[in-house]
Amino acid sequence: MKGIKSIFQKKEGNKQQEAPPMRKSPRQIWWAGLFLCSLIAMGSTFEAVKLQRYYAPANGTHRWAVGCITTVFLLSVIALALLMIPKTNHLLVGTKIELGLIFIVAGFTCAAVGSATNPSNGIAVNASGGVSFGNLYYSTWASFACTVAMLFSYMKTERGLDVSNELKARGRRFRLWVILIISAVIVMGSAASCYDAKCDALDQEGFAEPLKYCRRAAFGVSIGCIGTIFSIVIVAIRVTCAKNIDDNTGSGKGSANKRIFGLECIIACILLILYCFGVGYITSEKSPGAPLGNLYYSTWISFGLIVFIASSCYNEIQAAKKMMKNAHDANTSDMSSWPQHEQTVPPNINNHPVTNGARSITTSAISATTLGSGSVGEVQVGV
């Protein structure tokens, strides 16, 4: 009997050793957040679609919105179940299955946001672009945010690519340009949706002249497109052409960085002017961005980002001017401190100094030259 018990105990011990240890997922909190947000969104979608059926029969877009958000909810339930069960934990945490699941969820979440917040559908927002179902509107956007956070977390912990640190390493203004791409795309898409929801119907009814609403919606599409293109250009140039270190050895790196910074300043000024008019033109009363919705929020976010970018460029220019002034003052001070008989022949660092005083003067001149050839700013603008 003892021999049989020992055999069973050995078998159980081998099974316990073969079972992989349960690993705590760094994305468990985001899966839980996605579960809660998608649950709220799913309930709100059912309510919104049910209300819409009083005015018109349900169409394919409504069914698509319900199907997308329901799929996100079910996938989040499955993911949480796999994470919490010890026997299935190792199948999901840090595996390609989790990455594939994140991409699938991201796709359905983007589809849910697009269908629910489109003014033409009238689910989370009305025909004017204003939020009519707050729970549905904000929960779908929160689900999208949780999905993005999960993707960044996976790339950091499993692939060693820290997107946040990569953006920080390239400077604060670079991060603002990247975010501006997203917000400008939302401005363009939201303005186009508002135009399609109202202005196409007005054209069919025989309005020859475009109304104020339609003109402002078209302007929103224009500045959104311009902001997107300019932001992509700046990000692409800074990634491919800008140098981390400015040198003055004739290689041309310093001049290239100066040209990049000059282009960045010009584009920032153009966008600042456009969005100054855009904020007042698009979000005023009887405009497509007047109600609280995608167009309202994205327009103000884009305007705020451009203000920060322009102020950063201005501060960088002022810092470069200050460095140049300090270098000039240091050179002038050293020149005025030379003796009367030595002012006609400036000290040469290749010659041996005659006195200790001359040695100190030469050292000061070299320090001033080094100060004048330094660099300032995110793209290392030489001064």
Side-chain angles (χ1 to χ4, degrees), residues 239-287:
V239 168
T240 57
C241 301
K243 305 297 180 182
N244 292 328
I245 300 176
D246 181 24
D247 65 36
N248 297 312
T249 60
S251 63
K253 294 179 181 179
S255 60
N257 285 341
K258 289 178 183 178
R259 288 194 292 269
I260 293 172
F261 178 68
L263 178 64
E264 192 173 358
C265 292
I266 293 172
I267 289 179
C269 291
I270 294 173
L271 292 180
L272 183 62
I273 295 172
L274 285 176
Y275 276 84
C276 281
F277 286 103
V279 166
Y281 199 61
I282 297 174
T283 63
S284 61
E285 191 174 356
K286 295 183 180 180
S287 297

Side-chain angles (χ1 to χ4, degrees), residues 326-338 343 361 364-365 368:
N326 292 337
H328 180 268
D329 293 343
N331 282 318
T332 304
S333 176
D334 289 332
M335 289 291 292
S336 62
S337 64
W338 292 343
Q343 288 185 4
I361 294 172
S364 300

Side-chain angles (χ1 to χ4, degrees), residues 21 64 91 119 142 167 185 221 281 313 332:
W64 172 248
L91 297 176
L167 294 177
V185 168
V221 175
Y281 199 61
C313 292
T332 304

